[in-house]
Amino acid sequence: MVEVTVTPQSSLADRPVQVKVRGLSPSQLVTLRASLTDERGHRFQSRTFFRADGAGEVDPGHHAALGGSYTGVWPMGPFWFLQPDTLFQRLIKRDVAGSPFLVRLEVFGGLSLATSPQDQPLASCEAERWYVGPGVQRVPIREGKVRGALFLPP
């Protein structure tokens, strides 16, 4: 049974996570897709091709991507190389304290350049990427022409 995991499943957006795919056949070609929808409904995704190792595993931190959104060994590549489906959109988190970005990771067999709704992934999981840690207080700043926010630790 194929399984994709993100460890830790919930983390701050500037902290590294480990992505692993297990249960593949040795040397199997797969596509790892990461996707999220921002608060305005715009979708961002990365799509990367890997060849499983002899144990049937893929780890972007140890195995080089063969192509897609990036090539080479990038542990955080599925997250760092997210691109908008619609041109000229920027990935911006507006509600930094109230909710995380939910990044869905899916594994498809073979080299998948595009997927249709009926294409079923071999495995999938979801990662929470928070922008403010637990207990952090956000204080709006308005002083003259200065606008901003102060984030105070617990």
Side-chain angles (χ1 to χ4, degrees):
M1 181 168 108
V2 179
E3 174 186 38
V4 60
T5 58
V6 177
T7 308
Q9 185 269 331
S10 181
S11 64
L12 290 173
D14 64 345
R15 299 286 189 247
V17 295
Q18 183 178 40
V19 177
K20 281 202 172 197
V21 181
R22 295 181 180 93
L24 300 167
S25 301
S27 300
Q28 181 178 351
L29 287 171
V30 294
T31 300
L32 177 62
R33 180 175 71 181
S35 62
L36 68 83
T37 303
D38 71 5
E39 292 127 331
R40 295 183 301 163
H42 298 290
R43 187 174 155 161
F44 296 78
Q45 64 179 327
S46 67
R47 185 181 307 268
T48 315
F49 313 129
F50 291 95
R51 182 177 301 279
D53 65 11
E57 296 184 356
V58 168
D59 179 347
H62 293 99
H63 301 115
L66 305 175
S69 298
Y70 66 93
T71 58
V73 178
W74 292 83
M76 293 294 293
F79 298 90
W80 288 346
F81 290 94
L82 290 166
Q83 295 293 314
D85 283 356
T86 306
L87 293 177
F88 308 114
Q89 298 300 318
R90 296 183 76 185
L91 183 57
I92 299 172
K93 182 69 172 139
R94 300 198 186 282
D95 179 17
V96 295
S99 64
F101 268 145
L102 297 175
V103 181
R104 182 165 182 78
L105 292 154
E106 298 171 301
V107 179
F108 294 91
L111 304 180
S112 174
L113 295 174
T115 53
S116 62
Q118 64 264 23
D119 291 339
Q120 293 297 314
L122 300 174
S124 64
C125 72
E126 211 167 58
E128 294 179 353
R129 302 294 283 169
W130 290 90
Y131 282 75
V132 175
V136 172
Q137 181 185 2
R138 181 181 188 273
V139 180
I141 305 294
R142 298 184 78 117
E143 187 66 37
K145 294 182 179 181
V146 175
R147 301 290 182 266
L150 173 63
F151 292 89
L152 296 171

